[in-house]
Amino acid sequence: LHKMIRLVVHGMGGEGYLNFIGNEFGHPEWLDFPRAGNNESYQHARRQWNLVDDQNLVYKFMNEFDMAMNLLEEKHGWLNIAMGFAAERYHEEDKTISFERAGLVFCFNFHPSKSHTDYKVGLNQAGEYRIVLDSDWPEFG
C-alpha cells in the first residue's frame, strides 16, 4: 500500500515530487525537532538513512522501489506533462484509480480483498501495453 500511495502521488504530481514527513524510508520511530519542551535536543531530529543498508530490514525494498519509480519518471518525464485521458479515473466500487500520462497508463487497485484480472481501462489510444513497474514485484518486497 505504501508503495502504491507513493506512485499515485508521484504519477499525479505537478512539477515536483513532494514527500511528506513519515513517508520516506529511514524514518525513526518518532521525530521530535528541537523545542523548549525537549530542551532544544537534536536527539530525535534525524533520519536514519543507514537503515536501507541493513539486509535484515525491509527499508531496502522501499529504496529499490523509489529508485525504479524515479528512473521511470526520468525516462518518461511525466512530471512535465499534463494529465492524460481517463475514461473513469476513480472507480469507487472497485477501489481503483487509472489515468494516462506521458505515454504510460497508471492503474492502481486499492481494494482490500478484490483482485482484478483482465481489468478493462478506457484509453485514448488502442494498443498493447506492458507492465513497466509493479509494486508487487519480488525486488520491492
Side-chain angles (χ1 to χ4, degrees), residues 107-124:
C107 298
F108 302 90
N109 176 13
F110 288 98
H111 200 286
S113 61
K114 187 175 178 183
S115 181
H116 302 288
T117 305
D118 298 325
Y119 194 72
K120 297 197 184 314
V121 176
L123 300 174
N124 201 25

Side-chain angles (χ1 to χ4, degrees), residues 39-99:
N39 295 320
E40 304 299 330
S41 172
Y42 282 85
Q43 182 179 357
H44 299 290
R46 69 194 189 296
R47 297 291 185 272
Q48 297 177 23
W49 299 111
N50 61 308
L51 295 178
V52 73
D53 299 324
D54 188 333
Q55 294 304 301
N56 295 315
L57 301 176
V58 297
Y59 295 106
K60 63 183 177 267
F61 298 124
M62 185 60 70
N63 187 53
E64 290 299 317
F65 185 79
D66 276 359
M67 188 172 12
M69 177 177 64
N70 287 325
L71 287 172
L72 191 62
E73 194 289 323
E74 186 177 304
K75 179 179 178 181
H76 294 277
W78 65 69
L79 290 175
N80 295 316
I81 296 174
M83 291 292 290
F85 179 82
E88 188 170 17
R89 184 160 291 155
Y90 313 104
H91 192 287
E92 181 60 33
E93 184 179 322
D94 289 344
K95 305 290 187 226
T96 60
I97 298 174
S98 303
F99 58 91

